[in-house]
Amino acid sequence: MNSYVNTAVGALLGTIFVLMSVSIASEGIFHSEAPEKEGFAIVAEEAPAAGGEAAPAVAVPIAQLLASADAKAGETVFKKCQACHDGTKGGPNKVGPNLFGVVDRPIASHAGFAYSAAMKDFSKGGSEKWTFEYLNKFLLAPKKDVPGTAMGFAGLAKDQDRANVILYLHTLADSPVPLPDPNAATQ
């Protein structure tokens, strides 16, 4: 064999030996045990069984929740929505439609926005409106309330957060519709 070949093979074997030694040493130095408790548990809901399951029932009527709601707190919660929705008058559609004047507006009717087929079906040809009750039910779990909607938001589980956001949305109008009477609510 040639001395150059012997040198090259020796260099290759020496490099492999050094890399393996460093790998074994670093494994020993930087080895970490599995944590006793997960840092963050990801909770995913299971899909409903065949036959489907209706959206979760809303326990407290929205009229009663709105009586103690805070529009300023709703504006803070609405920041979650601003990634996809604009709330300014004449503002643009984003991933979702502009929400200025959404309360009591016909569902799936904002001009210039391409609604999903599921949302168009849910609107029953525009005859259904975004009433306080519909908004409350929809914001609880959009994907369950309107299966097939393109809205990827998981929903607002807390009654007070939903009421605050709905009251804030109520203020986003030239002439807001009257709030429902909390004493008349028996839903």
Side-chain angles (χ1 to χ4, degrees):
M1 268 201 177
N2 185 332
S3 66
Y4 293 113
V5 174
N6 286 342
T7 304
V9 171
L12 178 66
L13 291 174
T15 303
I16 292 172
F17 175 75
V18 169
L19 290 175
M20 291 294 292
S21 298
V22 169
S23 175
I24 292 169
S26 64
E27 176 74 24
I29 293 170
F30 297 108
H31 179 73
S32 63
E33 299 294 325
E36 291 179 21
K37 183 181 176 208
E38 296 176 7
F40 183 75
I42 298 174
V43 180
E45 292 185 29
E46 293 182 18
E53 182 179 299
V58 179
V60 181
I62 189 61
Q64 292 176 4
L65 292 171
L66 287 172
S68 63
D70 178 15
K72 202 70 168 159
E75 183 177 10
T76 302
V77 176
F78 184 73
K79 289 180 181 175
K80 295 177 183 179
C81 309
Q82 286 179 324
C84 299
H85 296 280
D86 185 71
T88 59
K89 182 176 182 176
N93 290 323
K94 293 183 175 180
V95 174
N98 181 299
L99 297 180
F100 186 84
V102 72
V103 178
D104 209 38
R105 177 170 76 196
I107 296 172
S109 67
H110 190 268
F113 186 76
Y115 288 93
S116 66
M119 190 58 76
K120 288 178 184 174
D121 290 344
F122 180 70
S123 75
K124 298 179 183 165
S127 64
E128 296 291 337
K129 292 186 176 187
W130 282 121
T131 63
F132 294 105
E133 292 80 15
Y134 262 141
L135 283 167
N136 189 35
K137 187 178 174 197
F138 182 73
L139 290 175
L140 177 62
K143 291 262 187 211
K144 286 186 180 179
D145 192 43
V146 183
T149 182
M151 185 166 165
F153 185 62
L156 296 170
K158 294 181 182 174
D159 289 345
Q160 201 58 52
D161 282 351
R162 281 193 318 279
N164 291 341
V165 166
I166 292 168
L167 186 63
Y168 175 68
L169 289 172
H170 172 259
T171 66
L172 301 179
D174 288 329
S175 54
V177 297
L179 290 171
D181 180 10
N183 298 323
T186 57
Q187 187 179 15

